[in-house]
């Protein structure tokens, strides 16, 4: 049974019920475009009045029963696709009525379809969920259900069934205008579908926008298990679970049956312009796009592509691990990847020194690592973690990053010393926290407790001069001779939360970046790009407390666990 196979040129019956509960039926001229049906009627007719009172209706196509919701969408002549299909199917009706001022166009969106079939003389019901494409067959007792879908799939590469805009002054459900476009409250969204992908673009926005929610109706298989990502690193909670409707699934998710024989998934491609998360429940899937600027609404300067959704159909016999790798490759294709030329390994002094160390100790560590790896062509790193900078201690671990303390008298000489042992030097910094005197407009305007600042300030990376300052800090470390730069704390410094506490809120308070025309995701990407701009292609960048989905193609390395 396929709704899409119904001939677009037909006369059938449509049933409608007013608020008085009385049901009426009449013969209609209806055409099908995509997964929707369309018809025109006199805007002043009894039919129109009934549908405005109660938009639920039903179509009867021979043995096929279709139920759904009707929506008035304007005058027929305003919709070229309808006019072309209607004129081809009903030329005389088109010529006689379509041009009339009183005619109104209605859209019928199916949400249920059923027909009776006979196999070996035994009757069965075929029931189709048009949103998900899941087809079930039930016997007359209704207790035998067989899924006849050829593969597990998530039909998210199509126009969503509903879109909601969340502004600073409240939420508004958007009106579907056809062609994958939605409008409400001065905002407009366009979705462009392709093979296993869907591009989501904000085409207009007249007032501060906080979030956009896209909803697809579908029936997920019973007993499905769900795996999701984390915002910036794992905290021991990345696991397969059953359906938990309130669970936030950042960036992407995978679905699997209990035996792991069928695995499918979906996600947004790396480096989106929104902080994206998913939710899955028994009746559908939601994609939330957080487009806030800090904690306030985003005011775009023009059209903005928010994300590109990629869908991963199941492949027979594929393991969950292999499916996850295939989804990752789709979300970050080879052209967008940045990987080290060889495996990166070596030492880092944080987990025994905890910020209390010296040049002599670092050279001792490098010597031991060199001895353990003697004869290997791929040489190890020794990373100097927190504690080398001048402003350090008493709970503070920020900059400035242009000089070192007495325990590290010469950072360039220290790098040379490690290289003489055939060990590659690496270094750590917290680029957004500093005690260096800076202009007031460089400072992030988020209310930050003094217990986190300890006399310093957090820089606002939406300010161009701040990005120049950060690029210069990274360039200086490379000039000193460091071949790996580990940067830390940027997500916490910007949003005031660790990833484990992000949930769907991500940040506290009513604050924003200096540049309100950029989303938080855009600002973070600009920050990462500034770091890369400060160094050569040969220098490795490592993110700690960063968002790998936004740093892909910029950093070679990322901390993945707490």
């Amino acid at each position: 049974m396929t709704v899409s196979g119904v001939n677009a040129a037909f006369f059938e019956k449509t049933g409608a019920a007013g608020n008085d509960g009385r049901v009426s039926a009449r013969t209609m001229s209806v055409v099908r475009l995509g997964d929707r049906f369309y018809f025109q009627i006199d805007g002043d007719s009894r039919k129109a009045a009934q549908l405005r009172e109660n938009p639920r209706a039903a179509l009867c196509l021979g043995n096929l029963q279709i139920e759904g919701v009707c929506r008035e969408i304007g005058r027929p002549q305003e919709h070229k696709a309808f006019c072309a299909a209607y004129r081809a199917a009903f030329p005389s009706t088109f010529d006689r009525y379509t041009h009339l001022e009183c005619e109104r166009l209605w859209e019928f969106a199916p949400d249920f379809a059923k027909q009776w079939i006979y196999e070996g003389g035994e009757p069965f019901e075929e029931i189709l969920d048009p949103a998900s494409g899941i087809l079930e067959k039930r016997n007359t007792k209704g207790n035998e259900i067989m899924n006849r879908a050829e593969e597990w799939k998530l039909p998210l590469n199509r126009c969503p069934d509903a879109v909601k805009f969340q502004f600073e002054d409240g939420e508004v459900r958007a009106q579907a205008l056809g062609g994958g476009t939605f409008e409400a409250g001065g905002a407009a969204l366009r979705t462009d579908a392709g093979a296993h992908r869907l591009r989501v673009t904000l085409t207009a926005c007249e007032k501060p926008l906080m979030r956009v929610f896209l909803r697809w109706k579908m029936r997920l298989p019973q007993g499905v298990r769900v795996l999701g990502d984390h915002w910036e690193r794992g905290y021991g909670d990345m696991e397969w679970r059953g359906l938990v409707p309130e669970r936030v699934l950042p960036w992407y998710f995978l679905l699997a049956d209990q035996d792991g024989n069928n695995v499918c998934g979906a996600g947004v491609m790396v480096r989106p312009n929104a902080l994206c998360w998913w939710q899955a429940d028994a009746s559908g899937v939601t994609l939330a796009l957080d487009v806030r600027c800090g904690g306030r609404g985003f005011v775009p300067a023009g059209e903005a592509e928010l994300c590109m959704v990629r869908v991963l159909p199941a492949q027979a016999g594929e393991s969950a691990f292999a499916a996850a790798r295939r989804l990752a490759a789709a979300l970050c294709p080879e052209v967008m990847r940045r990987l080290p030329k060889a495996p990166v390994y070596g030492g880092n002094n944080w987990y025994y020194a905890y910020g209390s160390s010296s040049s002599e100790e670092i050279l001792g560590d490098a010597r031991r690592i060199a001895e353990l790896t003697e004869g290997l062509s791929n040489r190890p790193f020794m990373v100097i973690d927190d504690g080398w900078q001048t402003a350090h201690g008493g709970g503070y671990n920020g900059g400035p990053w242009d000089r070192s303390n007495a325990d590290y008298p010469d950072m360039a000489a220290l790098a040379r010393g490690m290289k003489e042992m055939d060990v590659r030097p690496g270094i750590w910094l917290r680029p957004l926290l500093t005690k260096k005197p800076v202009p007031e407009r460089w400072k992030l305007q988020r209310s930050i407790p003094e217990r986190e600042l300890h006399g310093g300030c957090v820089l606002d990376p939406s300010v161009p001069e701040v990005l120049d300052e950060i690029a210069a800090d990274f360039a200086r470390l490379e000039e000193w001779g460091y071949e790996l730069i580990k940067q830390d704390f940027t997500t916490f410094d910007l949003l005031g939360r660790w990833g484990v506490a992000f949930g769907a809120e991500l940040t506290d308070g009513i604050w924003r970046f200096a540049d309100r025309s950029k989303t938080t995701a855009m600002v973070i990407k600009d920050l990462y790009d500034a770091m890369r701009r400060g160094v050569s292609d040969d220098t490795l960048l490592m993110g700690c407390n960063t968002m790998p989905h936004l740093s892909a193609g910029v950093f070679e390395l990322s901390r993945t666990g707490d």
Side-chain angles (χ1 to χ4, degrees):
M1 175 175 65
T2 58
V3 173
S4 60
V6 176
N7 193 322
F10 60 84
F11 286 87
E12 291 296 340
K13 297 180 176 61
T14 178
N19 285 339
D20 58 3
R22 297 179 61 184
V23 178
S24 62
R26 63 269 290 169
T27 299
M28 298 289 295
S29 302
V30 184
V31 296
R32 179 182 58 82
L33 297 172
D35 59 355
R36 307 292 170 94
F37 296 88
Y38 295 86
F39 57 92
Q40 64 179 48
I41 57 176
D42 187 329
D44 299 323
S45 67
R46 181 168 171 256
K47 293 190 293 287
Q50 287 177 325
L51 288 172
R52 292 186 185 114
E53 289 179 7
N54 182 356
R56 292 212 57 89
L59 289 174
C60 181
L61 312 173
N63 188 37
L64 179 59
Q65 308 162 40
I66 305 175
E67 298 176 7
V69 179
C70 292
R71 183 170 64 91
E72 187 174 353
I73 60 174
R75 296 191 61 214
Q77 289 188 319
E78 297 170 354
H79 298 263
K80 294 181 180 179
F82 167 79
C83 287
Y86 200 76
R87 186 172 192 172
F90 312 107
S92 61
T93 305
F94 177 86
D95 292 338
R96 184 175 299 177
Y97 297 109
T98 300
H99 67 282
L100 298 178
E101 185 67 28
C102 62
E103 288 293 289
R104 293 294 180 266
L105 179 63
W106 289 74
E107 176 187 79
F108 176 76
D111 56 23
F112 175 83
K114 183 181 80 169
Q115 70 177 356
W116 284 96
I117 62 172
Y118 290 85
E119 294 184 359
E122 183 179 357
F124 287 88
E125 285 182 304
E126 278 194 332
I127 301 173
L128 175 70
D129 179 354
S132 66
I134 294 177
L135 179 68
E136 294 178 350
K137 187 174 70 173
R138 300 181 183 181
N139 64 10
T140 53
K141 296 181 179 179
N143 55 10
E144 182 181 345
I145 302 175
M146 291 166 283
N147 191 342
R148 285 175 32 180
E150 295 179 0
E151 62 177 4
W152 277 41
K153 57 184 179 181
L154 286 165
L156 303 176
N157 58 321
R158 62 172 176 84
C159 178
D161 297 297
V163 169
K164 182 170 63 177
F165 294 115
Q166 184 184 77
F167 300 100
E168 286 187 347
D169 59 359
E171 295 182 351
V172 181
R173 185 183 176 100
Q175 179 181 5
L177 302 181
T181 61
F182 297 82
E183 285 187 3
L189 190 81
R190 185 181 71 244
T191 58
D192 299 301
H196 303 305
R197 67 179 62 205
L198 183 78
R199 188 185 307 274
V200 181
T201 305
L202 186 68
T203 57
C205 190
E206 298 175 358
K207 61 181 181 179
L209 181 63
M210 307 275 280
R211 299 176 181 89
V212 182
F213 298 93
L214 290 75
R215 175 70 174 178
W216 291 267
K217 297 177 183 178
M218 63 188 72
R219 201 160 23 156
L220 300 182
Q222 292 184 352
V224 68
R225 294 183 298 163
V226 185
L227 176 69
D229 198 1
H230 228 303
W231 285 111
E232 45 98 15
R233 55 181 161 179
Y235 288 85
D237 54 358
M238 296 170 68
E239 60 184 344
W240 290 96
R241 302 183 198 169
L243 278 180
V244 181
E246 65 273 18
R247 182 183 178 190
V248 172
L249 305 166
W251 311 122
Y252 66 87
F253 67 99
L254 289 165
L255 302 180
D257 61 17
Q258 295 183 357
D259 298 323
N261 295 325
N262 293 292
V263 185
C264 61
V268 298
M269 292 187 67
V270 296
R271 293 182 65 80
N273 284 320
L275 299 177
C276 311
W277 50 272
W278 301 83
Q279 285 183 314
D281 56 69
S283 59
V285 173
T286 298
L287 171 60
L289 306 177
D290 189 326
V291 295
R292 289 177 298 169
C293 176
R296 298 291 300 274
F298 160 60
V299 182
E303 183 173 293
E305 180 180 318
L306 300 183
C307 70
M308 174 73 82
V309 174
R310 293 298 304 269
V311 180
L312 181 84
Q315 287 187 356
E318 185 178 44
S319 69
F321 181 69
R325 285 173 56 89
R326 189 160 56 92
L327 178 60
L331 301 184
C332 185
E334 189 170 354
V335 68
M336 300 179 71
R337 298 174 201 165
R338 188 181 191 96
L339 299 173
K341 297 176 181 178
V344 176
Y345 72 104
N348 182 303
N349 72 329
W350 175 252
Y351 284 110
Y352 77 85
Y354 293 101
S356 178
S357 186
S358 65
S359 291
E360 290 74 16
E361 291 184 10
I362 294 296
L363 290 172
D365 291 342
R367 189 174 297 109
R368 281 185 288 275
I369 290 173
E371 293 171 354
L372 292 170
T373 59
E374 185 177 359
L376 297 179
S377 58
N378 179 28
R379 301 310 300 157
F381 283 88
M382 180 60 211
V383 178
I384 307 166
D385 215 289
D386 180 22
W388 63 268
Q389 69 273 30
T390 54
H392 180 267
Y396 182 81
N397 65 344
W401 305 104
D402 57 355
R403 64 188 75 96
S404 55
N405 60 47
D407 291 325
Y408 292 86
D410 190 331
M411 298 303 290
L414 177 56
R416 289 194 299 271
M418 285 191 274
K419 289 180 180 179
E420 289 171 0
M421 300 178 192
D422 206 14
V423 172
R424 303 177 69 182
I427 196 167
W428 173 99
L429 80 163
R430 183 177 180 174
L432 289 179
L433 182 64
T434 187
K435 287 187 175 180
K436 180 178 179 178
V438 297
E440 194 66 24
R441 67 183 187 86
W442 286 24
K443 298 178 182 179
L444 188 70
Q445 298 303 305
R446 178 172 66 81
S447 179
I448 305 174
E450 177 55 30
R451 66 177 181 273
E452 296 176 13
L453 295 175
H454 298 281
C457 69
V458 173
L459 302 176
D460 182 342
S462 76
V463 177
E465 293 88 344
V466 169
L467 296 179
D468 292 340
E469 179 80 5
I470 290 170
D473 285 339
F474 276 67
R476 185 182 308 108
L477 298 180
E478 183 185 63
E479 184 179 345
W480 286 348
Y482 292 90
E483 299 177 16
L484 183 153
I485 301 175
K486 174 187 174 184
Q487 58 91 3
D488 204 350
F489 280 89
T490 54
T491 304
F492 177 81
D493 285 339
L494 290 176
L495 303 180
R497 291 186 183 186
W498 298 108
V500 69
F502 272 8
E505 292 300 321
L506 287 95
T507 189
D508 299 311
I510 305 301
W511 66 277
R512 65 175 176 85
F513 294 104
D515 187 348
R516 198 167 187 178
S517 70
K518 293 184 176 181
T519 67
T520 299
M522 293 175 182
V523 172
I524 292 174
K525 290 196 300 178
D526 287 345
L527 170 63
Y528 296 163
D529 290 343
M531 298 174 187
R532 173 51 62 188
R533 174 162 53 89
V535 298
S536 68
D537 286 342
D538 293 331
T539 295
L540 301 181
L541 296 184
M542 177 178 180
C544 183
N545 186 231
T546 55
M547 294 188 179
H549 219 78
L550 300 181
S551 69
V554 182
F555 301 165
E556 289 85 356
L557 305 164
S558 182
R559 179 173 177 173
T560 59
D562 188 32

